[in-house]
Amino acid sequence: SSAASDVYKRQVLGIVVARSKSSRLKGKASLKVGSVSSLEHLFKRLEYCKNNEFINDYVLCTTKDPSDDKLAKFTESIGVKVYRGDEENVLKRMMVAVESYPDFSTILRITGDDILIEPNYLKKTIDHHYKLNADYTDAKLLPSGTEVEVFESSVLKFLLRWCVDTSGTEYLTNYITDNSHLFDCASLPVNKNETIKFRLNPKLIIILMILVVFLLSVRFLPKLMAFFPNLQSLISPLIGILRGFLPF
């Protein structure tokens, strides 16, 4: 049977955690990958999971900061529910959504960077979580950017109530692993050929796209210049800038 409708009829809620402010790549959730924003790629994968009953629902959790107004409005416009909370405290922000779904006992935390989650492994992670009756399950052996984390909602409520300082919960996993004697923790086993530690995130994708454009421009530039003599004066500065970012 599907993970979202196992023998105990446990309800699964996927929570995407994203915000516009980022120290490394601001506004990355709204950046286009092809013709679609990076966050839409993630939502499409979660919609597939929902349609196949791997999960029961998914939402976006972002902050109340005005910088996230545009992100929230866009997400709502494509039919995804949005919950807004504390800017720095990720756990408090997530709990706004969790408390709105009191019948959902299982929570998936999905960071907005992980736009390439693999639906079949999402299901495997949930199944493994249920098989071991775990409090927390990760899939950290998969390439970064393709995996989810599974929490029981009771664990999140416990952390919110008893942790002395939850301000650093952007790294929520640490609260679990550092206190593993209090929780039943599990990790999805995967084959060795599936453990290559690539990092798949919007910043890497954008860099790769720039590299492809650069290589294509170099290859076809002579042919283009035959038709457009003034093209070199326009493109040369751009190529110089791009070369500054490349390691060769």
Side-chain angles (χ1 to χ4, degrees):
S1 61
S2 65
S5 57
D6 73 339
V7 66
Y8 297 108
K9 304 295 181 183
R10 290 192 271 191
Q11 300 282 299
V12 181
L13 175 66
I15 296 181
V16 177
V17 180
R19 61 178 182 172
S20 298
K21 288 184 177 179
S22 172
S23 58
R24 291 175 294 180
L25 186 61
K26 292 184 179 181
K28 57 188 173 184
S30 302
L31 293 176
K32 294 288 184 71
V33 180
S35 61
V36 179
S37 72
S38 63
L39 208 53
E40 283 182 272
H41 283 286
L42 174 54
F43 289 148
K44 286 181 178 181
R45 289 169 180 260
L46 291 175
E47 187 65 23
Y48 174 89
C49 293
K50 182 178 178 180
N51 291 339
N52 285 276
E53 298 186 348
F54 300 167
I55 62 177
N56 299 98
D57 207 351
Y58 61 93
V59 301
L60 172 72
C61 273
T62 190
T63 79
K64 293 181 179 179
D65 189 86
S67 64
D68 288 316
D69 289 349
K70 184 177 179 181
L71 175 62
K73 184 177 180 180
F74 166 75
T75 302
E76 289 173 337
S77 74
I78 60 175
V80 178
K81 290 182 180 179
V82 177
Y83 293 88
R84 304 183 70 171
D86 194 278
E87 184 175 356
E88 299 299 331
N89 193 315
V90 176
L91 178 56
K92 284 185 178 180
R93 196 189 316 162
M94 289 177 61
M95 292 307 297
V96 176
V98 172
E99 291 168 358
S100 299
Y101 287 80
D103 297 329
F104 285 60
S105 62
T106 305
I107 308 299
L108 305 185
R109 185 178 77 141
I110 307 154
T111 66
D113 287 350
D114 295 343
I115 65 173
L116 297 177
I117 61 166
E118 211 295 309
N120 291 315
Y121 276 97
L122 178 147
K123 181 182 183 299
K124 288 181 180 181
T125 307
I126 297 172
D127 287 342
H128 188 67
H129 179 81
Y130 286 158
K131 179 180 179 181
L132 299 182
N133 197 29
D135 294 319
Y136 166 79
T137 301
D138 67 40
K140 295 299 183 183
L141 293 177
L142 292 174
S144 295
T146 65
E147 86 286 0
V148 300
E149 294 176 285
V150 186
F151 297 84
E152 287 302 293
S153 61
S154 57
V155 171
L156 297 176
K157 292 173 183 176
F158 175 88
L159 291 175
L160 184 65
R161 180 175 181 181
W162 295 109
C163 283
V164 175
D165 179 14
T166 58
S167 61
T169 49
E170 181 177 358
Y171 306 101
L172 188 57
T173 307
N174 295 345
Y175 282 80
I176 304 292
T177 56
D178 291 348
N179 298 281
S180 57
H181 61 287
L182 298 175
F183 307 103
D184 291 322
C185 300
S187 187
L188 177 71
V190 299
N191 296 327
K192 288 183 178 180
N193 63 342
E194 297 166 332
T195 61
I196 300 173
K197 299 307 291 183
F198 291 117
R199 292 191 62 83
L200 303 175
N201 56 54
K203 187 175 182 180
L204 176 59
I205 293 171
I206 291 169
I207 291 173
L208 290 174
M209 290 177 66
I210 291 173
L211 178 60
V212 169
V213 171
F214 169 72
L215 293 175
L216 288 175
S217 68
V218 171
R219 179 178 179 182
F220 294 106
L221 185 58
K223 294 181 180 179
L224 289 172
M225 287 176 58
F227 293 97
F228 304 100
N230 296 326
L231 189 62
Q232 184 175 7
S233 62
L234 296 174
I235 293 180
S236 293
L238 178 60
I239 292 178
I241 293 172
L242 291 175
R243 279 177 172 162
F245 286 100
L246 299 175
F248 54 83

